[in-house]
Amino acid sequence: MQTRRILLASGTAALAGGASLMLPGMSRAARPAKVKHAGHHGASAAAAPSAPIDASPAMTPIGPVDTIARWACITDFDSGEVLLEKAADDHMPPSSMTKMMTAYVVFGMLGAGRIKLEQTFPVSERAWRMQGSKMFVPLGESIPVQDLIQGMLIQSGNDACIVLAEGISGSEEQFVALMNDTAAKLGMTNTHYMNTTGWPAEGHYMSARDTCTIAGHLIRDFPQYYHYFSETSFAFNKINQGNRNVLVDKGLADGLKTGHTDAGGFGLCASSKRDGRRVIMTVNGLPSTNARAHEGERLLGWSFANFELAAIAHKGQVIDQAPVWMGVNGTVPLIAARDVTFLMPHGWQSRVHVSVDYPSPVIAPVQAGQVIGQLTITLPANPTNNSVVPAAPGDAAAAPAVPQGRVLTVPLEAGGAVAKLGFGGRIAARLGMKRHS
């Protein structure tokens, strides 16, 4: 048994626009020959941050990008690909970005029916005395959960967090235990909470990557509550406060949360969806609110301007015609098992390598939907790596080298059934009187 392998450069243009995997001007006979078998806000302090600003660049797939953020991470929501990172796994003071996890636990309670939006929770003296940003809950009164959520996310109310935690778990400490347990389940390995607000405390930290992770889960797991992050203002107790996320106010993002502490500087976790693509960004350690707004807007715009989702193949698209041995038909169409898109920097489609691998010939009988082979798409890690292996004299199988990089594999299925030849037909085929290859 041999493996039939087709190795192509500029594969995205060949696949996405055509009915089958045929490069312009390439005939079936010109394809490479068969090759050998291959196995299949905490505290809202007014002081400037004491932490020094790190002016070193962030790393991206297209090279270094300057940013004055001390910590940064930008991810693509659908693919999970990291577009930019700078000290993304380092422990940082998350300040009020902590409230995203507080909200996640609250949303989980709502989704499970354990609490309701119209349900009220009493305001304790501890909550009433809580410093930092506040929604100004009155001592001794009971506040609806929905108001508390809005006070927490729009007004960044530390007092609202305490009321919610005590109302759900009896104490903030018990609620924080839920937060840490949830973080572990979500794979947030560089996160540990000491409180629900982000108030500075020893042992309270998150990483920029983990902050993007919880943001993604809020969007994906609780779409029915995500709108709270995009509300531009909320009035409570006759006090109207605007959303502190200037990107939301400008219509550039639909969430999520800002934060500030002396140790951590000014931070922002934001998400935006444009032209069908959503990205999530976390920046922290910035020197001012203006710097936070400017850097957030600049990096968010950069992430949309420099990357695109390229359509490689569509579900059901015929990729190749595989020869069939001992079948009533000589070939069977190979089709993509699902839609295939690849996130890549703009202009990199010509650098994508696509290979099709399947055993040739396929032995009859063949069932429709049977997995026959796979489509492998490789995006080079280095944009300049486009080397070609020189062909030895007479070696028709030489092909462009596949550089190391991100790899995506997709099953190829039989696009139809091929029955096995009858006894007479099989005898004729074995005698060479009838061949299917």
Side-chain angles (χ1 to χ4, degrees):
M1 180 73 65
Q2 292 183 317
T3 295
R4 184 177 179 88
R5 171 168 293 169
I6 305 166
L7 183 61
L8 304 173
S10 306
T12 57
L15 277 170
S20 62
L21 187 63
M22 295 287 287
L23 285 178
M26 177 178 273
S27 67
R28 184 170 304 279
R31 294 184 181 181
K34 299 175 186 178
V35 297
K36 63 181 180 180
H37 174 72
H40 292 69
H41 258 296
S44 294
S50 58
I53 299 302
D54 181 358
S56 62
M59 301 310 296
T60 82
I62 56 176
V65 170
D66 288 334
T67 178
I68 60 172
R70 185 176 177 186
W71 303 279
C73 186
I74 303 178
T75 62
D76 179 77
F77 175 72
D78 290 314
S79 69
E81 293 291 341
V82 177
L83 310 183
L84 178 149
E85 57 183 317
K86 178 179 178 180
D89 295 310
D90 289 2
H91 296 176
M92 66 179 192
S95 56
S96 276
M97 292 184 287
T98 298
K99 295 180 173 81
M100 291 192 292
M101 178 58 82
T102 307
Y104 189 88
V105 174
V106 171
F107 294 163
M109 295 292 176
L110 286 167
R114 294 181 59 178
I115 61 173
K116 299 183 181 301
L117 289 172
E118 63 273 15
Q119 184 176 347
T120 61
F121 290 148
V123 178
S124 68
E125 184 171 353
R126 178 179 178 179
W128 177 70
R129 290 187 180 278
M130 184 65 199
Q131 298 301 302
S133 50
K134 301 165 67 74
M135 72 175 288
F136 300 100
V137 291
L139 176 63
E141 291 196 13
S142 292
I143 314 299
V145 168
Q146 178 164 284
D147 288 358
L148 292 167
I149 292 172
Q150 292 172 295
M152 172 177 64
L153 300 180
I154 303 166
Q155 301 176 335
S156 199
N158 293 334
D159 48 359
C161 295
I162 305 299
V163 176
L164 283 165
E166 292 177 341
I168 291 173
S169 297
S171 70
E172 184 180 20
E173 292 75 16
Q174 290 295 322
F175 190 92
V176 168
L178 291 177
M179 294 169 64
N180 283 318
D181 182 59
T182 302
K185 290 177 179 177
L186 298 181
M188 298 167 61
T189 56
N190 290 297
T191 291
H192 186 263
Y193 300 107
M194 297 298 294
N195 55 60
T196 61
T197 62
W199 192 264
E202 184 177 355
H204 186 99
Y205 56 83
M206 296 176 71
S207 69
R209 196 185 313 276
D210 283 355
T211 307
C212 287
T213 295
I214 186 59
H217 277 283
L218 282 163
I219 297 166
R220 182 177 291 107
D221 299 346
F222 299 110
Q224 69 273 38
Y225 305 125
Y226 182 63
H227 65 91
Y228 290 117
F229 289 99
S230 63
E231 295 181 11
T232 57
S233 65
F234 177 62
F236 180 80
N237 201 16
K238 299 181 180 180
I239 301 171
N240 186 71
Q241 299 185 62
N243 194 315
R244 296 165 189 252
N245 188 339
V246 68
L247 299 186
V248 168
D249 192 54
K250 295 174 70 172
L252 299 175
D254 51 26
L256 296 154
K257 197 72 192 72
T258 60
H260 170 246
T261 60
D262 288 352
F266 291 84
L268 166 68
C269 182
S271 183
S272 179
K273 188 173 185 178
R274 304 177 192 176
D275 298 325
R277 271 189 62 216
R278 177 179 289 280
V279 300
I280 298 171
M281 173 190 66
T282 298
V283 290
N284 201 9
L286 291 155
S288 67
T289 55
N290 285 338
R292 175 174 66 192
H294 178 269
E295 196 72 344
E297 181 175 348
R298 182 181 73 86
L299 291 178
L300 200 60
W302 171 89
S303 65
F304 284 110
N306 286 279
F307 297 87
E308 62 180 335
L309 279 174
I312 309 297
H314 304 292
K315 182 178 180 179
Q317 179 180 345
V318 176
I319 304 300
D320 196 19
Q321 296 285 342
V324 178
W325 175 249
M326 295 290 179
V328 295
N329 296 326
T331 61
V332 62
L334 299 185
I335 62 174
R338 59 180 174 83
D339 290 337
V340 186
T341 58
F342 215 72
L343 184 74
M344 66 185 70
H346 279 292
W348 276 33
Q349 289 202 31
S350 63
R351 305 183 188 278
V352 173
H353 288 69
V354 180
S355 66
V356 178
D357 296 274
Y358 58 89
S360 178
V362 179
I363 306 301
V366 180
Q367 303 297 321
Q370 177 182 334
V371 174
I372 301 296
Q374 72 176 21
L375 183 69
T376 303
I377 305 102
T378 303
L379 179 66
N382 185 340
T384 63
N385 189 351
N386 220 14
S387 59
V388 175
V389 175
D395 184 3
V402 180
Q404 296 300 312
R406 291 187 289 131
V407 177
L408 178 67
T409 59
V410 181
L412 293 177
E413 301 175 345
V418 179
K420 192 173 183 178
L421 285 168
F423 179 76
R426 296 198 302 272
I427 294 297
R430 290 188 179 277
L431 292 176
M433 298 173 62
K434 183 177 180 63
R435 298 182 182 273
H436 293 286
S437 60

